[in-house]
Amino acid sequence: MIIGIDIGANGALAYRANNETVLIPMKGDQTNIVNALKIIIGISRHPEFRRVAYMEKLHGYPGMGAKSTFGLGRNAGIVTGALLTLGIPFIEIDPKVWQKALGISVVKRKSKDIKKESLIVAKRLFPELTVKTDGESDALLIMQYAVMCENGV
């Protein structure tokens, strides 16, 4: 099972297991984050499942308010703690790394333009899913990047 996690305010968790992709909105809410991770552990208790999670390595950005920065840190702490508790190994990946690998240009672009392009790419790669927010698209694309890494692509 390969998991992609976006921990932002519109965050989501996406996973692929048995050639099925599932998207779970978390919306940055603590209860939703923990419930999403409980779903993951519930379906992956079988020993044949190898589990790994990839999540964005986040940091504050220029112009980002203290409340937003604190919220990201809180969400990252909840997700990290839950993954450690559930015994799911995780890898933090810089956004520019997974975006570049999936063909999303980040050079001299505004964040909102990158988010729009991520949404377009996710809808193209996962037409069977309803992708509504940049958090959902990022979770799917982080998961896709993880699949590529785990399969040596």
Side-chain angles (χ1 to χ4, degrees):
M1 171 179 293
I2 298 175
I3 306 164
I5 304 171
D6 179 272
I7 60 171
N10 291 317
L13 184 148
Y15 69 87
R16 181 170 296 154
N18 299 325
N19 293 319
E20 179 184 12
T21 299
V22 177
L23 178 63
I24 305 168
M26 296 188 307
K27 305 278 190 240
D29 178 87
Q30 297 169 22
T31 303
N32 291 342
I33 292 169
V34 172
N35 287 338
L37 291 167
K38 283 181 183 177
I39 290 168
I40 296 296
I41 198 68
I43 64 169
S44 65
R45 288 185 187 262
H46 305 288
E48 65 269 13
F49 270 119
R50 178 182 178 280
R51 298 171 296 190
V52 63
Y54 282 59
M55 64 182 194
E56 276 190 335
K57 182 188 296 183
L58 292 179
H59 47 79
Y61 299 96
M64 190 177 205
K67 184 177 178 182
S68 296
T69 303
F70 180 82
L72 278 178
R74 182 193 65 225
N75 291 350
I78 292 167
V79 170
T80 300
L83 290 170
L84 289 169
T85 300
L86 297 172
I88 300 173
F90 64 94
I91 296 167
E92 292 181 295
I93 187 73
D94 189 274
K96 290 181 180 180
V97 172
W98 67 259
Q99 289 164 345
K100 182 179 178 183
L102 292 165
I104 298 168
S105 174
V106 295
V107 178
K108 296 182 182 179
R109 295 184 71 196
K110 293 181 181 179
S111 176
K112 67 178 183 176
D113 294 331
I114 295 169
K115 290 177 186 227
K116 284 180 186 177
E117 187 174 353
S118 291
L119 197 56
I120 291 166
V121 171
K123 287 179 178 183
R124 187 185 76 237
L125 291 175
F126 302 98
E128 73 281 8
L129 298 175
T130 302
V131 184
K132 298 177 186 173
T133 69
D134 61 278
E136 292 173 356
S137 64
D138 285 0
L140 284 165
L141 296 177
I142 293 165
M143 180 208 64
Q144 183 62 33
Y145 173 80
V147 167
M148 292 164 53
C149 290
E150 294 296 312
N151 292 327
V153 176

